[in-house]
Amino acid sequence: MTTVETGSRVIVYALGGTIAMSSTLSGGVAPALSAHDLLAAVPGLAESGVTVEVQDFRRVPGASLTLSDISALATAISERLTDVDGAVITQGTDTIEEAAYLLDLLHAGPQPIIVTGAMRAPTLAGADGPANILAAILTAASPHARNQGVLVVFGDEIHAARRVRKTHTTSPATFQSPNGGPLGYLVEGRPRLLNRLTHRTVVPAEPADSIRVAVVPVALGDDGTTVRLLGDHVDGLVLAGFGAGHVPSDLVPALETLCARVPVVLSSRTGGGSVLAATYGFPGSERDLLARGLISAGYLDPYKARILLLTLLATGCDHSTIATAFGAAGGIADPGTWPWPTDFSQGN
Ligand code: ASP
């Protein structure tokens, strides 16, 4: 059934989320199950040939995970990766797209780190947690998943952390990669990567609690009040603009003022595609905003752009390095321009 090598070792970190929830006396479900409980419910795991170790790391809903939790997890994993083949994280799906990307920016090793969860709690018919955990463990143990950074495995699909988004409130097929699609699939328990990432982007710093980056969605008739009010309270701002990176002309002066003080990143609120650079010429267009000093997020969605900006600010690097990093990580410049290149070829 599997492609894993006999004797593969995987460590599973449980952080809570729907996958670990059970009914509460006051109604609804809340995180309650341990990592051990989660694995005990996975059919086929014992026959997989993978030796699995478990760690209860946090037991919270995805919404209550913090940047510090994820940084601490990255450190804990890196301390164990010399004696395991890969790691799996189970957590709330609400924040998987951000947590996975932060882990990806902090993970320099060749070992696969796989994030998964569930959309249906163990109390529901058709709970998807056990299948997702098994698929995640098999991917973490697979030599084919090495050197791809952090992956999200869900519904037998394998997604790159930098591209994956939660796109539906309830569907078990909620995780999608609008830019490029999944990297691969699990078929009969075998992870198959049809596309491989050609570069990694590792940042030599983790976000600091003292650094604040806001995501501001642009909306019809926005006159810049929100940006002006926030301006003095942030170290950076990610704008989720209309379409290919547009804002109302009334918002432009506030952005130009803010840009002179902190990095302002221009992303799109559409959920797919790249911010443009050279098409529209009206006030508030992408050409206008980039000429005024905003930084393009490229293909990164607003939430991933925020995670990247938080980590870049933590390095203390200057504005031009931040812009260069966004070009490479956003997929709109040569990946070789990434400011902290690492040779991953030795890790295979
Ligand atoms: N619906 C979420 C989940 O799938 C709740 C959470 O993120 O904790 O886990």
Side-chain angles (χ1 to χ4, degrees), residues 1-8 48-50 137-143 189 191:
M1 157 188 151
T2 71
T3 48
V4 300
E5 284 157 18
T6 311
S8 299
S48 71
V50 184
I137 290 172
L138 295 175
T139 309
S142 170

Side-chain angles (χ1 to χ4, degrees), residues 80-129:
R80 289 303 313 279
L81 281 180
T82 46
D83 49 79
V84 294
D85 296 286
V88 167
I89 295 140
T90 62
Q91 67 153 92
T93 58
D94 288 354
T95 47
I96 279 184
E97 59 196 295
E98 288 156 90
Y101 187 48
L102 177 52
L103 287 166
D104 191 49
L105 292 172
L106 300 178
H107 171 48
Q111 299 87 347
I113 296 180
I114 314 297
V115 188
T116 195
M119 292 300 286
R120 296 183 184 141
T123 49
L124 296 177
D128 50 340

